[in-house]
Amino acid sequence: MSASVPAREKTATPAGLAISLAYFVAAAIILAALAQGALVPWLQSYGVSQMASSPEIYAFIAIIILAVFASLLPGCHHKSIICIAGVTSFLALTMTQEMLIKYLSLAALLFSIGLYGMVVSRNAVRVLMSIELMLNAVNINLVAFARYVDPVHVRGQIFAIFILTVAAAEAAVGLAIVLAIYRNNTSVDMEKFNILKW
C-alpha cells in the first residue's frame, strides 16, 4: 500500500520574487514620472510629439511591454506580474482623469476581477467572494453616478443599500448551502456538487 502524498503548493522562487520586485519598481518609476509631469518633456526631447499630448497612453504601453518582458523571463511569478500590471496600468490611465472616470474605472476593474474569479475558480467560497466583489463594483457605480450626476437626490445610495442587504442575505444562504454540502462531501469543489441535481 502506497501512501498518497498531497501535492505541495508552488512556492515563489527567489528569482521570481526578484523579477516581480524589479517590475514593480520599474512600474512605480513610470507612474512617478507621469505624476510629476516628467514624461512630457522626455517624450518631446525624443521627437514623439503625438505621444507627448497624452503621456498616460505612453505610460500604459510601457507598463504592458515591461509586463510582457517580465513574464517571458524564466522563473517569473506570472500571477504577481499580472496583478502589478493591472493595478499600475489602471493608475496610469486614470491618473489625469476626472473623479467620476476614476470611480467607474475602479468599478470596472473590480467587476472584471470578480467575473474572472467566478468563472475560473472551483472553490465555492471563492465563487461567493467573487459574486460579492461584483456586487460591490455595482455599488461603486451607483454611488458615483448619484454623487456626480444627480447630487441632490440620494437614489444611488438607496439602491446601494438594497444591494448590500440582498448581498448579505445571499452570502448567508450561500454559505449555509456550502457548509451543508461540505458536511456530506467533505469538499467545496464546485465540480463535485452533483447532489443538488434531481
Side-chain angles (χ1 to χ4, degrees):
M1 292 164 79
S2 63
S4 63
V5 178
R8 293 177 57 191
E9 294 183 10
K10 288 185 177 180
T11 57
T13 62
L17 292 175
I19 291 169
S20 299
L21 184 62
Y23 174 66
F24 176 73
V25 169
I29 289 171
I30 291 171
L31 286 178
L34 178 65
Q36 294 176 355
L39 284 182
V40 175
W42 185 76
L43 290 171
Q44 288 174 346
S45 68
Y46 279 97
V48 192
S49 58
Q50 294 175 345
M51 282 288 217
S53 61
S54 58
E56 62 272 0
I57 301 296
Y58 171 77
F60 171 74
I61 292 171
I63 287 170
I64 297 301
I65 289 174
L66 282 175
V68 170
F69 284 140
S71 64
L72 291 177
L73 292 174
C76 78
H77 192 250
H78 294 287
K79 290 182 181 179
S80 63
I81 297 292
I82 291 171
C83 290
I84 295 168
V87 171
T88 54
S89 61
F90 164 74
L91 290 173
L93 288 176
T94 60
M95 191 176 290
T96 59
Q97 300 293 327
E98 300 175 6
M99 283 304 294
L100 179 61
I101 303 299
K102 290 182 181 181
Y103 285 127
L104 296 180
S105 302
L106 176 64
L109 182 67
L110 287 178
F111 192 86
S112 302
I113 292 170
L115 186 65
Y116 175 79
M118 189 182 72
V119 170
V120 170
S121 180
R122 295 184 308 183
N123 190 331
V125 178
R126 282 192 206 138
V127 170
L128 288 174
M129 289 171 57
S130 300
I131 292 172
E132 296 292 328
L133 199 61
M134 291 166 65
L135 290 174
N136 286 330
V138 171
N139 283 341
I140 290 174
N141 274 340
L142 288 171
V143 173
F145 277 121
R147 167 66 177 87
Y148 290 100
V149 176
D150 190 14
V152 176
H153 301 93
V154 290
R155 295 182 184 126
Q157 288 89 337
I158 291 172
F159 279 114
I161 289 172
F162 280 129
I163 289 176
L164 285 174
T165 307
V166 171
E170 172 259 333
V173 172
L175 283 176
I177 292 172
V178 168
L179 285 174
I181 292 174
Y182 181 75
R183 282 190 200 122
N184 293 333
N185 291 352
T186 65
S187 174
V188 289
D189 193 354
M190 295 286 286
E191 294 178 356
K192 297 178 181 177
F193 288 178
N194 56 2
I195 63 173
L196 297 179
K197 292 181 181 179
W198 287 95

